[in-house]
């Protein structure tokens, strides 16, 4: 479907219901064709969908540290974070190549150890392994990254977000989310200079509610199950 047709559809859906419902309706109607993807292509989409969340978590942590230094005597409950100030963070992913462009994060701290990350402006980035266009990642309303610091050091993260691929021909949409009661573990290794999400299960959903599940290894590499479920 061409871009002008999609704009009309998106406008109608956004006016007709809550924005996350609208996003899901767009994905179901004109989303990524999961059935047409090879196993290798599914793995690449899953890796990019995982790693952009990893980078947002890393950047959010850097912004929190900077805000804390500027406000030593004030407990932080919320702050914004400009992706453009942290483009070099993209080098921290070891299984995908991502180039960050822009975006604005809105981070809420609900307790001493719990944070919610959403997008004030879409996170825009390039990922040549899946697209020649600009990718947009949107986290609004019920969609968010939730991060919890734990005393054991196993900091955890769960997420659900909406992707738009503004590629040359047709625009493509999909959602990605973590699954189950066991969230991903967020890892950040200053020695290796890598960050990653491990030990979790995720799902990409595309057109006609077709989906692809994946897991991440201990070092953050995406693996598809031996038998894929739809």
């Amino acid at each position: 479907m061409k871009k002008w047709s999609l704009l009309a559809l998106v406008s109608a859906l956004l006016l007709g219901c809550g924005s996350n419902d609208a996003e899901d309706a767009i994905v179901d109607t004109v989303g990524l064709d999961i059935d047409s993807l090879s196993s290798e292509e599914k793995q690449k989409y899953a890796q990019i969908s995982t790693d952009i969340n990893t980078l947002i978590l890393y950047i959010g942590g850097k912004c929190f540290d900077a805000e804390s230094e500027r406000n030593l005597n004030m407990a932080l409950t919320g702050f914004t974070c400009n992706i453009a100030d942290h483009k070099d963070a993209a080098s921290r992913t070891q299984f995908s190549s991502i180039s960050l462009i822009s975006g604005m994060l809105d981070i809420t701290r609900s307790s001493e150890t719990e944070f919610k990350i959403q997008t004030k402006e879409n996170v825009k980035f390039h990922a040549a392994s899946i697209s020649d266009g600009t990718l947009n990642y949107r986290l609004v309303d019920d969609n968010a990254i939730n991060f919890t610091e734990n005393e054991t050091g196993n900091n955890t993260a769960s997420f659900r977000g909406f992707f738009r691929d503004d590629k040359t021909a047709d625009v493509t949409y999909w959602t990605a989310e973590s699954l189950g009661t066991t969230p991903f573990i967020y890892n950040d290794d200053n020695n290796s200079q890598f960050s990653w999400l491990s030990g979790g299960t995720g799902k990409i959903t595309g057109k006609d509610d077709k989906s692809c599940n994946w897991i991440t290894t201990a070092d953050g590499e995406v693996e598809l199950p031996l038998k894929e479920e739809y």
Side-chain angles (χ1 to χ4, degrees):
M1 185 179 289
K2 300 302 180 183
K3 290 186 179 181
W4 66 268
S5 302
L6 283 173
L7 287 174
L9 173 63
V10 169
S11 297
L13 288 170
L14 289 176
L15 288 172
C17 53
S19 59
N20 288 153
D21 290 337
E23 290 170 350
D24 291 344
I26 292 166
V27 169
D28 189 49
T29 305
V30 290
L32 182 67
D33 187 354
I34 300 290
D35 284 350
S36 71
L37 301 178
S38 66
S39 293
E40 182 180 1
E41 288 171 328
K42 291 174 185 176
Q43 192 273 341
K44 289 178 179 178
Y45 271 94
Q47 191 73 63
I48 294 297
S49 298
T50 302
D51 286 348
I52 192 62
N53 283 286
T54 302
L55 293 179
I56 289 172
L57 283 163
Y58 175 77
I59 292 170
K62 290 298 181 184
C63 287
F64 173 73
D65 291 342
E67 289 292 331
S68 296
E69 289 179 5
R70 282 194 289 267
N71 300 279
L72 294 175
N73 298 318
M74 184 176 70
L76 281 177
T77 57
F79 55 97
T80 58
C81 185
N82 191 343
I83 293 291
D85 294 335
H86 301 274
K87 290 183 179 180
D88 59 345
S91 64
R92 297 193 68 87
T93 58
Q94 58 181 323
F95 296 111
S96 62
S97 179
I98 291 174
S99 176
L100 295 168
I101 302 172
S102 63
M104 188 70 71
L105 304 179
D106 197 357
I107 303 176
T108 304
R109 187 184 191 185
S110 58
S111 72
E112 191 69 23
T113 59
E114 295 181 331
F115 298 82
K116 181 178 182 179
I117 304 176
Q118 296 188 290
T119 51
K120 194 170 185 178
E121 298 174 7
N122 290 356
V123 174
K124 296 186 177 184
F125 63 102
H126 289 142
S129 63
I130 62 171
S131 175
D132 60 0
T134 298
L135 295 160
N136 291 257
Y137 189 40
R138 189 169 186 251
L139 298 159
V140 298
D141 294 326
D142 294 333
N143 287 348
I145 301 172
N146 292 290
F147 176 74
T148 302
E149 290 183 318
N150 295 301
E151 292 182 357
T152 61
N154 288 332
N155 300 327
T156 59
S158 60
F159 59 84
R160 188 181 193 277
F162 174 75
F163 288 87
R164 185 180 80 239
D165 178 1
D166 293 337
K167 56 187 177 182
T168 306
D170 294 341
V171 180
T172 304
Y173 303 86
W174 72 94
T175 58
E177 61 189 298
S178 53
L179 296 177
T181 56
T182 303
F184 287 89
I185 297 173
Y186 174 71
N187 304 270
D188 185 21
D189 188 339
N190 287 325
N191 291 324
S192 69
Q193 300 295 305
F194 290 129
S195 301
W196 66 97
L197 292 173
S198 65
T201 303
K203 179 176 75 170
I204 292 173
T205 302
K207 185 178 179 180
D208 296 329
D209 202 32
K210 296 295 181 68
S211 63
C212 169
N213 291 5
W214 78 88
I215 60 173
T216 54
T217 63
D219 57 0
E221 185 173 16
V222 160
E223 291 184 348
L224 300 180
L226 293 177
K227 182 178 180 180
E228 296 176 23
E229 298 179 358
Y230 299 91

